[in-house]
């Protein structure tokens, strides 16, 4: 879909602590979406910021012996610095304690009140300070603990102002069903069921006697706005307020990146407020959880990935894994090791290697000048590559329009793999050695095609890897092409700068060493609890002498099949996405298609050889082997294991 403007926002983050990987993920996603549309020629605006009011912040300031304002000022500076380190860009860093925002919330409250959508009432219920909300019975366990925050709720009876959510629910349900609030299928269903089961209205104020850390209601000086009623309008403040949003082309094409835990607020309450204000309802891009080693990050599990960890590893490695392994909306499982492995496969050995080989050969055989295409000598393989590459920009656009960033990256890395195979079959070094006019024409065509692929990849993935892809494009003579024309330029596959003298650049992505497998906390404990005898036996086991050791070299793990699909163009292969506990998510291409359907595999536990070197195949990379055996009916079947087996556990 052609858009002229796009406005992308992150949730505004609670000013109660430091950012973690989940926040970096959301902000990176906002940046990538924004940059992508910018590269398609849209005018873009990006917003991130801090949610600075409410009881939670007040509580947190108190525990640190600080005034709330001092706490939020300090944290806003820290977050900005960390975002700066990652080179995230944004047009607005929203702070809900800013004067502009207070003015806008006051206006929103006044308009909704004047519309008759706000009334006073009493409510008793279980309140979670973590959520800053009264919870429904589904949101608590049997002991009335919040399921998200795992903290006890408080039974509260309060006289508060209420916003008439019920009045707008039928319209909201209609919008949800039409896919106008969220287009990701699973969240449409989730949201419809939330909307249908939502009872009562939304309490939107807190008495000052409980907390004064908020924006005063314009129609009652004894109450402040409830933190969510204060926070949600920040997106409108970022456009200049309600009146400005009414006319702004940015508001009409707003996208809110949000975590799935805040779907109810953005998918029900916010649309209700917007309908009351007469403003359009933005689209949501809902993200799943960022997991580490198969688990939610938590200090007690010792699996928290901090911004420092990511920074040390490099923004590109994090982004490639976070947005390559799963489309936003699904959970993504990252470990330090899996991020390095993916980085090596896709970036260092993939695009990085293709770039360095191509540039070196052009330097060597063409004195560093980009060769021209000799169309009369094109081979079928070249026509095929050109066709795939020419379709890529549009395919990436389509994927982005549905927030399917992993699908977009998959297409790009498949093109790189296809081009690698082409170069291997053409053996340009032998063409150079043969040194005939025919072989030199072929050599020029091979390197021109390889350059054209790199140029396409550079333009289409610059939103993910801005620094490195711009460097690559500069090397290829595209340094002056405005990035707002990136997709336009990419759609002209043969449009390389023939004759351009290459700009020398350092290797794009250096390979990283893969650390030996990190012990999980439970493995560490196991070793600590061993008797000296057991430890001795273990030492004997690791001395490289007997065949059991050879067996030990093969790592076979229990995995869950998350997804299985037919591989287009292959009669034998199924593409599996499996989750292997600590080892993260893997793609496996398995030649088992004639024996089993994808449906029979999904959600089943299987055995995978996990330490086979990844294999580049025509249809992508296979990162392991699915173990199978002959069934009684002489068919090959995967070895299924009982559901009881722990995902990621190693066969021993
Ligand atoms: N202040 C509210 C948002 C108000 S927006 C008007 C808030 N803040 S938050 O700091 O708690 O969370 C911000 C975002 O981070 C949420 O979208 C949440 O889902 C996301 N994440 C927090 N932990 C996460 C992961 N482990 N993985 C992915 N994102 C998660 O909610």
């Amino acid at each position: 879909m052609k858009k002229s403007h796009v406005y992308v926002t992150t949730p505004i983050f609670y000013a109660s602590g430091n950012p973690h990987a989940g926040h970096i993920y959301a902000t990176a996603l906002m940046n990538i979406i924004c940059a992508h549309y910018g590269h398609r020629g849209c005018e873009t605006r990006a917003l991130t910021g801090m949610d600075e009011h409410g009881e939670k912040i007040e509580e947190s300031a108190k525990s640190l012996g600080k005034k709330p304002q001092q706490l939020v000022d300090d944290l806003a500076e820290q977050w900005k610095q960390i975002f700066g380190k990652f080179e995230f860009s944004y047009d607005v860093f929203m702070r809900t304690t800013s004067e502009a925002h207070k003015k806008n919330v006051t206006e929103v409250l006044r308009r909704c009140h004047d519309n008759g959508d706000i009334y006073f009432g009493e409510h008793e219920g279980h309140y979670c300070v973590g959520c800053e909300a009264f919870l429904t019975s589904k949101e608590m366990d049997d002991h009335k603990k919040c399921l998200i925050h795992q903290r006890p709720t408080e039974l509260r009876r309060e006289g508060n102002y209420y916003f008439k959510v019920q009045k707008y629910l039928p319209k909201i349900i209609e919008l949800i069903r039409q896919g106008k609030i969220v287009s990701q299928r699973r969240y449409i269903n989730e949201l419809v069921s939330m909307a249908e089961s939502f009872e009562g209205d939304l309490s939107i104020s807190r008495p000052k006697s409980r907390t004064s850390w908020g924006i005063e209601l314009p129609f009652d000086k004894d109450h402040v706005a409830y933190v969510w009623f204060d926070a949600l309008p920040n997106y409108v403040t970022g456009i200049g307020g309600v009146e400005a949003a009414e006319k702004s082309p940015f508001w009409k094409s707003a996208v809110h990146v949000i975590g799935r835990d805040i779907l109810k607020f953005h998918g029900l309450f916010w649309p209700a407020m917007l309908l009351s204000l007469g403003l359009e309802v933005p689209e949501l891009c809902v993200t799943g959880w960022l997991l580490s080693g198969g688990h939610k990050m938590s200090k007690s599990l010792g699996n928290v990935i901090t911004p420092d960890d990511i920074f040390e590893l490099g923004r590109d490695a994090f982004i490639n894994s976070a947005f390559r392994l799963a489309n936003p909306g699904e959970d993504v499982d990252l470990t330090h090791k899996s991020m390095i492995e993916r980085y090596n496969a896709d970036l260092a050995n993939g695009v990085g290697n293709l770039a360095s080989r191509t540039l070196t050969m052009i330097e060597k055989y063409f004195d560093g000048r980009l060769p021209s295409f000799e169309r009369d000598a094109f081979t079928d393989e070249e026509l095929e590559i050109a066709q795939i590459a020419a379709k890529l920009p549009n395919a990436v656009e389509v994927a982005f329009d549905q927030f399917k960033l992993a699908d977009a990256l998959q297409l790009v890395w498949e093109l790189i793999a296809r081009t690698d195979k082409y170069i291997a079959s053409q053996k340009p070094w032998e063409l150079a050695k043969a040194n005939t006019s025919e072989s030199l024409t072929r050599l020029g065509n091979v390197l021109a095609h390889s350059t054209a692929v790199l140029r396409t990849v550079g333009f289409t993935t610059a939103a993910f890897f801005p620094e490195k892809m711009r460097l690559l494009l500069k090397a290829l003579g595209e340094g002056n092409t405005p990035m707002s024309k990136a997709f336009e330029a990419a759609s002209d596959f043969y449009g390389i700068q023939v004759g351009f003298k290459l700009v020398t650049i350092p290797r794009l992505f250096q390979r990283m060493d893969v650390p030996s497998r990190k012990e999980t906390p439970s493995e560490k404990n196991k070793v600590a609890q061993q008797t000296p005898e057991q430890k001795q036996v273990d030492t004997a086991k690791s001395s490289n002498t007997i065949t059991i050791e050879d067996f030990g070299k093969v790592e076979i793990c229990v995995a869950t099949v998350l997804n299985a699909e037919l591989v287009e163009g292959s009669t034998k292969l199924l593409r599996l996405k499996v989750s292997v506990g600590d080892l993260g998510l893997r793609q496996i291409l398995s030649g088992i298609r004639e024996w089993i359907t994808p449906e029979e595999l999904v959600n089943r536990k299987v055995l995978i050889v996990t330490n086979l070197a990844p294999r580049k195949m025509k249809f992508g990379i296979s990162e392991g082997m699915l173990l199978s055996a002959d069934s009684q009916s002489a068919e090959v079947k995967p070895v299924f294991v009982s559901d009881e087996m722990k995902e990621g556990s190693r066969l021993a």
Side-chain angles (χ1 to χ4, degrees):
M1 198 207 313
K2 184 92 188 109
K3 292 187 187 188
S4 59
H5 292 74
V6 70
Y7 173 41
V8 193
T9 65
T10 67
I12 46 169
F13 304 105
Y14 281 126
S16 55
N18 291 322
H20 61 62
H23 304 133
I24 300 295
Y25 173 77
T27 314
L29 178 55
M30 175 276 277
N31 256 244
I32 294 168
I33 296 176
C34 220
H36 166 83
Y37 283 102
H39 298 167
R40 282 162 69 172
C42 291
E43 283 210 42
T44 64
R45 183 172 291 188
L47 172 144
T48 188
M50 315 283 319
D51 192 351
E52 302 186 331
H53 283 131
E55 259 183 278
K56 191 148 75 176
I57 313 288
E58 201 177 19
E59 222 183 45
S60 161
K62 208 165 158 192
S63 70
L64 293 167
K66 286 188 180 184
K67 291 244 180 300
Q69 190 63 54
Q70 189 195 342
L71 172 74
V72 299
D73 287 348
D74 293 350
L75 283 170
E77 278 319 302
Q78 277 175 34
W79 281 64
K80 277 192 208 166
Q81 264 180 27
I82 292 172
F83 286 174
K85 237 171 119 177
F86 282 95
E87 294 183 25
F88 289 147
S89 52
Y90 42 83
D91 301 288
V92 183
F93 190 91
M94 178 55 55
R95 296 191 52 192
T96 55
T97 53
S98 67
E99 285 313 312
H101 181 68
K102 289 186 200 165
K103 195 169 149 227
N104 182 41
V105 172
T106 309
E107 178 64 14
V108 168
L109 282 160
R110 188 175 293 124
R111 286 191 184 214
C112 294
H113 191 248
D114 290 352
N115 281 347
D117 286 343
I118 291 178
Y119 64 92
F120 190 80
E122 289 238 320
H123 179 74
E124 185 176 81
H126 292 275
Y127 194 86
C128 169
V129 176
C131 295
E132 297 267 20
F134 285 102
L135 303 188
T136 62
S137 55
K138 279 193 194 146
E139 291 165 332
M140 295 179 285
D141 67 12
D142 294 343
H143 305 285
K144 306 283 177 229
K145 261 191 182 173
C146 166
L147 290 178
I148 293 179
H149 295 95
Q150 291 297 318
R151 59 189 274 176
T153 53
E154 292 166 29
L155 185 66
R156 287 189 183 178
R157 182 173 186 81
E158 266 177 16
N160 286 324
Y161 285 88
Y162 286 84
F163 176 78
K164 291 183 181 168
V165 177
Q166 290 300 332
K167 174 173 162 189
Y168 295 103
L169 268 187
K171 177 71 192 161
I172 291 170
I173 293 174
E174 190 187 316
L175 290 173
I176 301 170
R177 289 220 163 97
Q178 291 167 344
K180 290 197 176 147
I181 294 187
V182 62
S183 59
Q184 296 147 294
R185 175 103 343 243
R186 64 181 278 194
Y187 295 111
I188 292 185
N189 298 339
E190 221 170 279
L191 209 44
V192 168
S193 87
M194 276 179 193
E196 286 178 345
S197 60
F198 184 72
E199 289 163 8
D201 284 323
L202 175 69
S203 129
I204 58 136
S205 67
R206 297 290 174 265
K208 276 193 183 166
S209 53
R210 183 175 291 286
T211 178
S212 57
W213 187 236
I215 300 173
E216 194 177 278
L217 301 187
F219 42 84
D220 188 336
K221 304 261 170 275
D222 294 331
H223 283 77
V224 293
Y226 163 51
V227 64
W228 275 98
F229 207 89
D230 167 340
L232 289 162
N234 92 85
Y235 304 125
V236 169
T237 312
I239 294 286
V242 179
E243 222 168 287
E246 277 165 357
K247 298 175 222 120
S248 168
F250 286 111
W251 188 255
K252 287 186 181 28
S253 50
V255 173
H256 298 322
V257 170
I258 59 156
R260 68 173 198 223
D261 54 327
I262 53 177
L263 179 60
K264 187 158 96 181
F265 297 96
H266 286 81
L268 296 189
F269 304 153
W270 184 221
M273 291 163 71
L274 290 166
L275 289 172
S276 173
L277 294 168
L279 286 178
E280 276 176 70
V281 177
E283 187 179 1
L284 303 178
C285 168
V286 185
T287 64
W289 288 112
L290 202 61
L291 307 174
S292 170
H295 301 280
K296 228 179 131 177
M297 284 178 233
S298 87
K299 284 191 187 135
S300 56
L301 275 179
N303 65 346
V304 173
I305 301 175
T306 65
D308 279 346
D309 292 336
I310 300 173
F311 197 70
E312 204 180 295
L313 189 71
R315 169 187 151 130
D316 293 333
F318 172 74
I319 284 187
N320 185 51
S321 280
F323 299 106
R324 155 98 155 100
L325 295 174
N327 286 317
E330 298 166 37
D331 292 347
V332 200
D333 192 4
L334 300 180
T335 61
H336 189 69
K337 189 176 168 205
S338 70
M339 284 193 271
I340 295 181
E341 284 172 345
R342 278 255 63 88
Y343 167 91
N344 282 341
D346 298 330
L347 298 174
N349 298 347
V351 60
N353 196 27
L354 182 66
S356 105
R357 288 159 82 199
T358 305
L359 299 182
T360 308
M361 286 193 278
I362 294 175
E363 203 59 65
K364 194 163 161 195
Y365 305 133
F366 291 89
D367 196 23
R369 295 209 177 265
L370 289 185
S372 58
F373 290 103
E374 295 300 328
R375 289 172 191 257
D376 294 344
F378 281 176
T379 62
D380 286 351
E381 207 179 2
E382 279 155 5
L383 293 172
E384 183 203 325
I385 288 183
Q387 201 184 27
I388 302 173
K391 283 188 187 152
L392 187 77
N394 186 250
V396 169
E397 288 183 5
V398 170
F400 261 85
D401 287 346
Q402 302 167 43
F403 307 124
K404 293 190 172 167
L405 276 66
D407 291 3
L409 276 180
Q410 173 74 16
L411 291 171
V412 178
W413 300 151
E414 273 173 12
L415 173 64
I416 294 280
R418 180 68 191 87
T419 311
D420 277 344
K421 202 180 141 214
Y422 156 70
I423 291 187
S425 76
Q426 293 294 319
K427 301 193 179 65
W429 46 94
E430 287 184 7
L431 294 171
K433 211 161 144 202
N435 203 18
T436 64
S437 94
E438 198 189 326
S439 76
L440 294 180
T441 303
R442 289 239 35 74
L443 178 64
N445 266 349
V446 172
L447 294 175
H449 277 84
S450 179
T451 300
V453 165
L454 287 168
R455 178 177 170 275
T456 307
V457 170
F459 280 133
T460 49
T461 63
F464 293 94
F465 315 107
E467 191 200 326
K468 295 299 170 66
M469 290 306 157
R470 278 175 198 218
L471 195 61
L472 173 63
L473 290 166
K474 187 172 149 204
L476 303 179
E478 301 290 347
N480 292 328
T481 309
M483 285 313 282
S484 59
K485 298 219 178 298
F487 274 72
E488 198 182 312
S491 59
D492 177 14
F493 176 72
Y494 296 112
I496 64 171
Q497 310 284 338
V498 173
F500 177 78
K501 176 97 172 111
L502 291 180
V503 174
T504 312
I505 53 165
R507 211 183 153 84
L508 284 181
F509 301 102
Q510 293 289 348
R511 254 191 86 81
M512 282 194 255
D513 287 335
V514 182
S516 55
R517 191 171 160 224
K518 259 192 183 173
E519 287 170 335
T520 63
S522 63
E523 282 169 340
K524 265 190 206 148
N525 283 341
K526 221 157 105 188
V527 174
Q529 287 159 13
Q530 277 177 343
T531 63
E533 292 76 19
Q534 279 171 324
K535 280 189 184 151
Q536 221 171 4
V537 173
D538 275 348
T539 320
K541 261 197 237 160
S542 66
S543 71
N544 199 13
T545 51
I546 49 167
T547 51
I548 190 124
E549 180 61 24
D550 287 340
F551 174 69
K553 281 187 195 158
V554 184
E555 195 176 80
I556 302 174
C557 294
V558 176
T560 313
V561 181
L562 300 181
N563 192 30
E565 58 186 23
L566 308 179
V567 174
E568 221 181 271
S570 163
T571 49
K572 295 211 170 88
L573 293 176
L574 285 184
R575 190 190 308 282
L576 312 182
K577 201 178 265 180
V578 299
S579 170
V580 205
D582 270 1
L583 297 180
L585 296 182
R586 301 257 177 131
Q587 167 171 284
I588 292 180
L589 298 174
S590 172
I592 202 157
R593 174 167 172 172
E594 60 177 310
W595 312 109
I596 194 155
T597 63
E599 292 72 24
E600 286 174 86
L601 272 161
V602 174
N603 286 332
R604 301 289 302 272
K605 289 231 166 94
V606 292
L607 293 176
I608 302 290
V609 181
T610 46
N611 62 344
L612 276 180
R615 263 200 316 158
K616 272 190 190 160
M617 299 168 75
K618 183 175 168 195
F619 303 100
I621 293 174
S622 186
E623 305 159 294
M625 189 167 95
L626 174 74
L627 288 189
S628 49
D630 283 354
S631 69
Q632 299 224 359
S633 55
E635 289 185 323
V636 182
K637 291 282 178 197
V639 180
F640 290 119
V641 292
S642 114
D643 240 349
E644 221 189 308
M645 305 306 288
K646 186 168 163 252
E647 196 190 274
S649 69
R650 189 176 164 173
L651 235 70

